Amino acid sequence: MTELQRQTLRAALDCVIPPDDFLGAWEAGVGNYLALQFEGDLAPQMTFYLAGLDGLEAEAIARFGNHFFSLGPEDQNSILQSVESGAVNTSWTISPQKFFKLMVETAAEGYYSNPEQGGNIGEVSWTMTGFSKYGPV
Amino acid sequence: MKDFDAIIVGTGAGGGIVACVLAEAGKRVLLLERGHALSFAEVSRDQLRNQRLAIYGHNAGPDIEANPRVFIDPLGNRRIVKPHELDYHNNAACLGGGTRVYGAQAWRFSPDDFRMASKYGVPPSSSLADWPITYEELEPYYERVEWELGVAGDGSNLQAQIPRKRDYPLPPVPPGPQSTALREGARALGWVVSPVPLLINTAPYNNRPACIECKYCVGFACPSDAKNGTQNTVIPRALASGNCELVTDAIAEKIQTDSSGNAIGISYIGQSSTVPQRQEARAKVVIISAGAIESARILLNSTSTQHQFGLGNEHDQVGRNLQGHLYPRAYGIAAASVFNGVGPGVSIATTQFNHDNDGIIGGGMLADDFIKPPIDFWYDSLPPDLPRWGLRNKQFMRDNYTRVLHVRGPVQDIPNPEGRVTVDPSVKDRWGIPVARLSGTTHEETITAAEFMRERGEEWLRASGCETVWSTRPELMLSGRQHQAGTCRMGDDPGSSVTDKWGRVHSHDNLFVVDGSLHVTNGGFNPVLTIMALAYRSADYIANSII
């Protein structure tokens, strides 16, 4: 993963699960989760995923003349919405919708599942939802 | 070669009980299991790889690379599927089978579940039929399961529909805020509710401790060993008798027959040495308890010159009528939190709609659900109009994880002969054995009933104080999965069934099937208690009349 792809990833993940009173995806370790998964179950999909990140960057350049990670949240979300629906402005080598679904689902997996898998640092999502707040361990 | 009184293939709900009864009756038993004993740590609490949510794998077998199946979708497309994929219709493959990681709902079928054809008639293209036995004949065996393995419940409100002579040995799980809300809703609607019976120790029982009310029940192993599967109840008893030899990691290949076609034993792939080795064992009686898909596969793979289509398959019945349960589901946002973090979480049910619904064949049970880990909730329980990402999604998780009320339940599957297991002509497992191929769907009448139950679910949630309610529409698909049943159905007529009313294969005096395969219909309830009750009944018959 190039530094640019890493920055695109960080910005995109924080749109998928933004920070508010509780950590956003990146601070909660979703990047760690993905790094582990790309060495494991998701290894066959890594090239696909990176092509999707390149696609996000290309959309940002085409539409706003700037890096995806440099855009404000409104413009970033606008790009993500068009990727989600497949209405992209540039030529994609992969299906934008499939990339988007993979990005959203794996972000949720990292954010909401066991901290041992790399994400959900400090059980942030389990505290936020109440899963670990109530009842026996 | 070793010689036994009985060889049993499979240690799940059926095989585990047969092993115990026969071994304690002094019979010499060989018990084969394709998986092996799994510790609590081995099963793990991996929220992405378990029997409830198996995105990347699962936690109780079988091995994902070694055991493919073939799935043919309703359009006729054929593809190879791995064990953790939904279309594989997996059940756990380990000591205890599915009971190692199940949710342990311990429902009896109701008397009408045994006479579906008489009660409703047979819809076109279905194979709906009556059982060759009645509820009354099975009732003592239900009671035996409940007391020997341990079931927690309260049968008083069920008495009118599912009469019982003796109550449960253990008190029901305590009600939580979700059950209180649903109880109020049911009261407003005039519906009868009862606690969900569970094969869980709510108090110490059989020298094992009580449930510690953790959040990881269905799909996981129990940290206090209070969930009663065959692996911690009847199988230890079978082994303690000194009459039962357990061989794990043993892959059954085929039932061996002699020159006149009688069953004489089994061949299996043993893995006690570093190189898998084909082994054979002989016995007076062979009992197949591998689950509805694998049991059918073993019979179909047991070909010989006398039985070129497999054993018991003279009338092309083995593997047909595969059924399980569709699960209508409804969700609503309650006025306040309905989550206290106390497991197992499933606590209250209505059996109001299992039968006698206008225009519906059968019906089903509705209950609240086990505690869902947040990622399971994220995949399963969000409203369809909620964005899947962004702040709104995150804040819905924050605000409503503890407020979403959820009811779901199994709907009586209307069987048809085209929902079936065959063996694939080309795909083989790691040991060279032809694999199961699944095809067909459930009958359209099942969808009609499921749709009716979905509406009842929404109705219950609205009456329970939920203003916003949503639900999942049932789709016409093959059902099977962990409730798989029906592929070697019992019957009096060898032309339309595979076994007699004892589970004995019509064409073979000493070959039995004992698992969900026997179910003529699968009830509108979780099937495990019925599998277990039938296993006690068949095992008594085998011990008293066969060997």
Side-chain angles (χ1 to χ4, degrees):
Chain A
M1 185 179 289
T2 65
E3 179 56 24
L4 179 60
Q5 286 169 333
R6 202 186 69 85
Q7 299 211 61
T8 309
L9 174 67
R10 176 179 183 153
L13 289 176
D14 276 344
C15 292
V16 173
I17 305 176
D20 55 2
D21 293 347
F22 295 91
L23 298 180
W26 190 261
E27 291 293 323
V30 172
N32 304 339
Y33 167 78
L34 289 173
L36 289 169
Q37 279 290 68
F38 282 134
E39 288 174 9
D41 298 307
L42 291 175
Q45 281 158 281
M46 183 157 179
T47 311
F48 177 89
Y49 196 101
L50 294 181
L53 295 178
D54 292 343
L56 291 183
E57 175 67 7
E59 290 291 315
I61 300 292
R63 283 177 54 181
F64 300 103
N66 207 342
H67 293 302
F68 183 87
F69 71 83
S70 301
L71 300 176
E74 207 167 296
D75 293 342
Q76 288 174 338
N77 283 332
S78 157
I79 290 173
L80 291 176
Q81 276 158 9
S82 41
V83 172
E84 182 179 28
S85 67
V88 290
N89 290 17
T90 59
S91 155
W92 282 56
T93 56
I94 56 162
S95 158
Q97 294 103 316
K98 280 186 184 166
F99 162 72
F100 193 81
K101 184 168 185 285
L102 177 68
M103 180 176 69
V104 168
E105 291 184 349
T106 52
E109 289 162 12
Y111 193 79
Y112 291 110
S113 75
N114 317 73
E116 295 78 14
Q117 315 218 25
N120 193 11
I121 286 171
E123 301 189 358
V124 57
S125 71
W126 293 358
T127 307
M128 176 184 89
T129 54
F131 174 71
S132 60
K133 202 169 158 188
Y134 306 100
V137 176
Chain B
M1 187 183 310
K2 284 199 177 172
D3 221 329
F4 296 87
D5 290 320
I7 296 169
I8 302 165
V9 178
T11 63
I17 283 174
V18 178
C20 180
V21 171
L22 296 185
E24 289 188 342
K27 314 297 183 189
R28 292 166 303 113
V29 173
L30 174 64
L31 179 58
L32 301 178
E33 167 54 51
R34 67 193 303 221
H36 50 260
L38 294 175
S39 69
F40 173 73
E42 284 171 308
V43 176
S44 91
R45 284 180 160 182
D46 187 328
Q47 295 188 354
L48 304 177
R49 298 166 190 82
N50 59 76
Q51 289 279 316
R52 198 82 194 268
L53 189 63
I55 300 173
Y56 299 109
H58 56 199
N59 54 357
D63 181 90
I64 282 177
E65 300 305 329
N67 297 278
R69 279 178 186 160
V70 171
F71 179 75
I72 299 177
D73 73 20
L75 299 173
N77 301 309
R78 175 183 182 279
R79 67 188 180 92
I80 295 173
V81 285
K82 292 182 176 183
H84 66 298
E85 295 180 51
L86 284 178
D87 290 332
Y88 189 93
H89 291 270
N90 189 43
N91 206 350
C94 59
L95 191 69
T99 72
R100 181 73 181 103
V101 289
Y102 65 175
Q105 290 196 37
W107 294 97
R108 296 178 177 201
F109 286 180
S110 76
D112 282 344
D113 293 332
F114 295 84
R115 49 187 189 227
M116 289 293 289
S118 298
K119 187 173 173 68
Y120 296 101
V122 181
S125 78
S126 92
S127 47
L128 197 64
D130 290 351
W131 288 51
I133 61 170
T134 63
Y135 174 80
E136 290 70 28
E137 285 173 87
L138 200 56
E139 204 275 340
Y141 297 99
Y142 276 132
E143 183 182 302
R144 189 165 162 194
V145 179
E146 288 162 357
W147 283 80
E148 290 205 22
L149 280 81
V151 173
D154 177 350
S156 47
N157 280 3
L158 296 166
Q159 191 68 21
Q161 281 173 289
I162 312 175
R164 53 192 307 119
K165 295 192 172 72
R166 192 179 182 195
D167 210 342
Y168 296 104
L170 291 158
V173 290
Q178 81 286 11
S179 18
T180 307
L182 289 166
R183 186 177 302 278
E184 290 302 315
R187 182 176 298 148
L189 293 165
W191 295 2
V192 178
V193 291
S194 74
V196 172
L198 293 157
L199 280 138
I200 288 176
N201 291 350
T202 47
Y205 197 72
N206 279 337
N207 298 315
R208 280 178 295 106
C211 168
I212 57 168
E213 303 179 331
C214 83
K215 301 181 182 79
Y216 294 78
C217 200
V218 66
F220 300 96
C222 178
S224 63
D225 209 21
K227 187 159 68 174
N228 302 319
T230 56
Q231 82 288 341
N232 61 359
T233 57
V234 285
I235 291 172
R237 282 171 55 182
L239 298 177
S241 74
N243 295 322
C244 178
E245 182 179 327
L246 170 67
V247 180
T248 57
D249 297 304
I251 313 293
E253 179 192 42
K254 62 195 287 189
I255 300 152
Q256 300 287 317
T257 50
D258 63 16
S259 54
S260 52
N262 295 314
I264 53 171
I266 196 115
S267 61
Y268 64 97
I269 315 298
Q271 297 175 88
S272 49
S273 62
T274 48
V275 183
Q277 287 187 327
R278 192 170 175 281
Q279 319 221 3
E280 292 188 15
R282 295 273 181 269
K284 293 174 188 153
V285 59
V286 174
I287 298 138
I288 306 298
S289 302
I293 293 172
E294 291 297 313
S295 285
R297 176 191 176 205
I298 292 168
L299 290 180
L300 292 170
N301 272 333
S302 299
T303 53
S304 63
T305 42
Q306 289 90 350
H307 303 280
Q308 54 177 317
F309 302 110
L311 294 185
N313 201 28
E314 290 76 8
H315 300 280
D316 189 24
Q317 290 298 304
V318 173
R320 291 192 180 274
N321 311 310
L322 176 62
Q323 54 203 288
H325 288 121
L326 297 190
Y327 262 75
R329 294 170 290 176
Y331 312 80
I333 299 176
S337 171
V338 286
F339 180 84
N340 64 355
V342 172
V346 65
S347 61
I348 186 170
T350 182
T351 58
Q352 184 95 16
F353 303 103
N354 275 78
H355 287 284
D356 304 310
N357 306 300
D358 272 353
I360 305 292
I361 299 179
M365 177 271 287
L366 281 176
D368 53 351
D369 202 8
F370 293 88
I371 288 180
K372 278 190 282 284
I375 184 60
D376 201 351
F377 180 94
W378 187 86
Y379 268 112
D380 174 85
S381 310
L382 298 180
D385 58 354
L386 180 78
R388 303 290 286 172
W389 59 284
L391 210 50
R392 271 187 67 200
N393 187 279
K394 185 187 183 189
Q395 293 183 345
F396 185 94
M397 291 292 291
R398 181 193 68 191
D399 297 340
N400 295 310
Y401 176 78
T402 59
R403 281 180 62 188
V404 169
L405 257 185
H406 178 184
V407 293
R408 56 156 60 194
V411 165
Q412 176 104 238
D413 208 290
I414 306 305
N416 82 85
E418 298 309 315
R420 67 186 297 201
V421 180
T422 49
V423 289
D424 193 79
S426 58
V427 179
K428 295 179 170 59
D429 66 15
R430 178 174 287 169
W431 304 276
I433 307 169
V435 305
R437 180 177 62 185
L438 310 177
S439 57
T441 67
T442 185
H443 192 275
E444 286 184 5
E445 288 289 351
T446 314
I447 303 298
T448 307
E451 184 61 11
F452 172 78
M453 293 307 298
R454 181 183 72 82
E455 289 165 4
R456 299 291 75 70
E458 288 204 356
E459 190 180 1
W460 194 2
L461 293 172
R462 285 206 178 87
S464 304
C466 300
E467 281 183 19
T468 306
V469 169
W470 64 97
S471 59
T472 309
R473 279 187 184 276
E475 287 174 46
L476 189 67
M477 59 199 289
L478 186 66
S479 67
R481 301 201 175 137
Q482 287 142 19
H483 291 188
Q484 57 187 259
T487 55
C488 303
R489 59 169 26 176
M490 300 192 293
D492 295 326
D493 171 17
S496 61
S497 60
V498 175
T499 80
D500 70 10
K501 64 178 184 176
W502 303 105
R504 175 170 46 194
V505 174
H506 286 302
S507 52
H508 293 76
D509 285 346
N510 63 340
L511 175 60
F512 287 75
V513 177
V514 184
D515 59 26
S517 307
L518 298 179
H519 295 189
V520 179
T521 49
N522 208 23
F525 296 101
N526 307 57
V528 74
L529 203 79
T530 301
I531 295 171
M532 290 172 162
L534 283 174
Y536 270 117
R537 183 172 171 277
S538 288
D540 275 358
Y541 178 76
I542 293 166
N544 297 331
S545 309
I546 305 294
I547 48 177

